[in-house]
Amino acid sequence: MASSESRALGFHLSIAVLACVPGLILVSDMLYSRLGPDPGEVVTKSLGMAAFQLLLATLCLTPLRKLTGWPGWLRVRRMLGLFSFCYAALHVLAFFQFIIGWQDLWSSFTRRPYIIFGLIAFVIMVPLAATSSKAMMRRLGKRWKVLHRGVYIVAVSAWVHFLWQARSDVGEMLAYGFLLLFLLVARVIWSSAFKRRFVSGVQ
Amino acid sequence: MIIKKRPAWSLPHSQVTPESVFLNRRRFMTGALAATAALALPGYGAAGSLPVPGEMLKYKKMPDWSTDEGLTPYEDATSYNNFYEFGTDKGDPKRYASALKTAPWTVTVEGECSKGGEYALEDILKPHDYQERIYRLRCVEAWSMVVPWIGVPLADLLTQFEPTPRARYVYFETLFEPEQMRGQRSAFSTIDWPYREGLRMDEAMNELSFMAVGLYGKTLPNQNGGPMRLVVPWKYGFKSIKSIVKIRFQETRPKTTWELIAPSEYGFYANVNPEVDHPRWSQKRERRLPSGLFSVNWMDTQKFNGYGDQVAQLYRGMDLKRFF
């Protein structure tokens, strides 16, 4: 079915373009000097936020598939996850370059709680990104699924990483927190173990 | 009451704004704006005139109290700062501060002083000549600027209220007006408004402490704490409270806003100190703004922000790691 295939390709491409938008905005702001007097800080923050938002978008795909029944959502999951990882990696580099200037690495990672949570999130992302290929999926078999549940730890750590930095107004991070909570609770409710225990298990 | 009065004639002629510049910018003014400017006209040049944002001020340069480091451009200093009353983003103050009404402006003076009361801002500024002091401004977030402030020495301003010997601390408060300050309307703010700050009396009386009503020769834009803000250059920026409506002399140490939110992170003194680490930011270095993307403008942070000669004696015998 060529038409549905091309439709899937079109969807894939448009999601890819959307995922590029935060990066493109940054590049254009850079070229037009719209980043303000402390550009390093703006770049670091924007990259981190893009990584977090794309991670949440990735976590939305399974619930979207359940709700709409359309399997197409899952086809962009790996790509979105990898986009999130790319932004996170650039964010970490930007943090080293612009915020701490490659100094005091040890104390940054041992004494600043918000950085510790960011680090946890990123470190767990690395093996997930590395094992995202189809070949690795086949090789790891059942263990792949278990390993990739690590994404939930990534999401929660990343959220704490942001919340901890909110110095006085936590409104925005509470909103993200509710979204994340919804995405996690939905998975628990849809999980087969939960259904066995609480839905079909009730006689 | 002793108020140091500098004779007006001591002002060098080079300080006077060229008439052509003054007239030129006035040509752009129309309608109500022109009327406001006309009202301010008799006050033009005279210290104590009602501050209208962006109005040129007359002042005396104070090279002995100024750094010769390069100034942060006006555009950067007025578009990138923290003023949580308008939002937590650095661009929020400029974006939203136009909602703030700075005239008329009343300052309540109370506590351990013999001349307390409610004053119109222009009345407490009137007895003083404005000075320009170019100070380093070091934010606790590890960035810094160099800003030419216009204002009066805090000691001169406070002395006119005749604080009593019982006044050991001076407390300041920012305006609380959620209608004008959208950050104060946020339901999720952890700040217990109004914003509060304070100084020990000897800190307040130090010659470096400054009450600013302007920057770069003009009256303070709202986003920078108009119409009147504190500038304490040897302390982290959050001590320099903005848009002040209350001054209280007291015997006991006031609790300050950031101390109330996170006492383990922000102390009452908040002196710039590279040796005292902050749980969020290393304080050893700072980014002097404007900073580049490919060449970050790193600078080693100096103890007391480089003002140790003037203020170190205030803290003699104190363990600055404990009293941070």
Side-chain angles (χ1 to χ4, degrees):
Chain A
M1 296 236 298
S3 77
S4 92
E5 227 165 72
S6 67
R7 199 145 34 107
L9 187 68
F11 176 67
H12 216 104
L13 273 177
S14 37
I15 292 292
V17 169
L18 274 179
C20 286
V21 165
L24 291 174
I25 290 175
L26 269 183
V27 170
S28 94
D29 282 352
M30 222 182 283
L31 293 177
Y32 290 97
S33 315
R34 278 191 305 240
L35 292 170
D38 201 0
E41 160 118 5
V42 177
V43 167
T44 308
K45 276 192 175 163
S46 312
L47 288 170
M49 195 36 122
F52 183 55
Q53 288 170 335
L54 283 174
L55 186 71
L56 290 181
T58 312
L59 290 179
C60 285
L61 298 173
T62 299
L64 277 172
R65 200 199 77 138
K66 291 252 184 199
L67 292 174
T68 62
W70 185 52
W73 295 110
L74 287 191
R75 270 185 232 133
V76 295
R77 191 168 67 174
R78 172 187 327 176
M79 182 184 71
L80 272 189
L82 285 173
F83 261 111
S84 171
F85 174 72
C86 284
Y87 281 114
L90 289 172
H91 164 71
V92 171
L93 283 176
F95 173 73
F96 283 143
Q97 173 67 17
F98 303 129
I99 307 300
I100 58 174
W102 305 93
Q103 283 192 1
D104 297 316
L105 297 188
W106 182 248
S107 69
S108 294
F109 290 132
T110 51
R111 296 178 55 186
R112 310 202 199 288
Y114 79 92
I115 297 178
I116 296 171
F117 278 96
L119 185 72
I120 291 172
F122 183 67
V123 165
I124 299 177
M125 270 180 128
V126 174
L128 301 193
T131 59
S132 63
S133 67
K134 277 204 175 114
M136 284 308 273
M137 250 173 134
R138 270 195 299 271
R139 243 175 81 180
L140 289 173
K142 267 188 181 158
R143 283 173 301 165
W144 188 91
K145 217 170 176 180
V146 177
L147 176 67
H148 279 251
R149 285 203 180 120
V151 72
Y152 305 128
I153 305 173
V154 175
V156 172
S157 306
W159 179 70
V160 173
H161 173 64
F162 279 101
L163 183 70
W164 212 303
Q165 286 172 86
R167 282 174 70 198
S168 72
D169 202 309
V170 294
E172 189 189 2
M173 274 306 128
L174 282 183
Y176 280 111
F178 278 119
L179 174 62
L180 182 58
L181 189 70
F182 168 78
L183 294 173
L184 295 181
V185 167
R187 281 170 168 81
V188 172
I189 289 173
W190 283 327
S191 73
S192 47
F194 183 88
K195 276 188 189 150
R196 265 200 309 278
R197 176 85 176 73
F198 294 104
V199 184
S200 52
V202 179
Q203 296 290 326
Chain B
M1 177 168 70
I2 301 157
I3 294 166
K4 273 191 257 166
K5 259 277 207 188
R6 287 161 200 83
W9 48 261
S10 73
L11 191 84
H13 192 260
S14 60
Q15 298 301 305
V16 179
T17 308
E19 194 184 12
S20 60
V21 173
F22 178 63
L23 292 176
N24 245 328
R25 63 176 293 282
R26 291 191 54 77
R27 237 172 256 149
F28 292 101
M29 296 180 163
T30 52
L33 203 74
T36 317
L39 278 174
L41 193 59
Y44 169 73
S49 59
L50 189 71
V52 176
E55 197 69 16
M56 300 301 284
L57 294 166
K58 195 180 97 171
Y59 55 87
K60 187 180 166 189
K61 290 200 180 203
M62 305 297 279
D64 290 350
W65 297 101
S66 295
T67 168
D68 51 11
E69 288 158 274
L71 299 184
T72 298
Y74 177 85
E75 179 55 30
D76 292 338
T78 56
S79 65
Y80 187 89
N81 66 333
N82 286 319
F83 195 173
Y84 285 178
E85 276 77 353
F86 296 107
T88 54
D89 190 84
K90 301 260 187 323
D92 284 342
K94 184 176 183 186
R95 213 168 290 141
Y96 302 116
S98 58
L100 175 67
K101 291 188 205 84
T102 55
W105 192 268
T106 307
V107 180
T108 306
V109 181
E110 56 187 37
E112 302 292 342
C113 64
S114 40
K115 296 223 164 146
E118 292 202 351
Y119 293 94
L121 176 62
E122 53 272 30
D123 290 340
I124 60 175
L125 294 174
K126 209 177 286 165
H128 313 282
D129 289 331
Y130 292 152
Q131 306 180 357
E132 181 192 69
R133 296 187 178 197
I134 305 169
Y135 282 159
R136 289 178 286 273
L137 170 76
R138 171 61 158 82
C139 178
V140 71
E141 297 169 347
W143 52 267
S144 64
M145 292 184 177
V146 175
V147 182
W149 302 103
I150 314 291
V152 299
L154 181 62
D156 291 359
L157 188 92
L158 294 183
T159 308
Q160 68 186 333
F161 307 120
E162 299 180 11
T164 70
R166 286 162 62 121
R168 293 187 55 225
Y169 295 90
V170 56
Y171 162 91
F172 301 94
E173 221 173 80
T174 296
L175 179 72
F176 176 69
E177 199 66 68
E179 302 242 312
Q180 298 174 34
M181 300 174 133
R182 70 200 312 271
Q184 294 176 337
R185 297 201 290 266
S186 168
F188 302 104
S189 174
T190 53
I191 294 180
D192 179 19
W193 308 105
Y195 193 82
R196 300 142 217 230
E197 260 308 335
L199 294 171
R200 223 167 53 190
M201 211 53 192
D202 58 346
E203 295 178 317
M205 290 298 165
N206 186 278
E207 287 168 292
L208 275 177
S209 298
F210 202 58
M211 192 64 99
V213 294
L215 43 71
Y216 300 84
K218 299 177 195 167
T219 45
L220 274 179
N222 292 353
Q223 64 266 30
N224 291 86
M228 180 173 83
R229 65 166 294 168
L230 194 63
V231 181
V232 198
W234 73 92
K235 293 174 180 285
Y236 292 118
F238 66 85
K239 290 294 289 183
S240 293
I241 182 170
K242 304 184 183 83
S243 304
I244 296 168
V245 293
K246 187 177 277 184
I247 299 174
R248 187 196 303 137
F249 298 96
Q250 48 187 70
E251 213 174 349
T252 53
R253 197 177 91 180
K255 281 273 181 198
T256 62
T257 290
W258 284 108
E259 205 187 351
L260 285 165
I261 296 175
S264 60
E265 296 185 29
Y266 309 94
F268 172 79
Y269 288 97
N271 293 320
V272 176
N273 192 343
E275 293 148 34
V276 177
D277 212 15
H278 188 279
R280 289 161 195 260
W281 309 277
S282 164
Q283 301 296 14
K284 294 197 185 84
R285 297 196 295 170
E286 62 202 57
R287 297 186 300 282
R288 176 62 54 83
L289 307 189
S291 177
L293 198 53
F294 296 103
S295 55
V296 181
N297 203 3
W298 288 114
M299 225 170 249
D300 284 333
T301 291
Q302 306 173 73
K303 198 167 184 180
F304 297 115
N305 204 18
Y307 296 102
D309 287 350
Q310 289 90 351
V311 300
Q313 85 281 354
L314 293 170
Y315 310 103
R316 198 166 289 144
M318 276 175 69
D319 178 3
L320 294 176
K321 287 201 159 68
R322 214 180 124 218
F323 298 100
F324 55 84

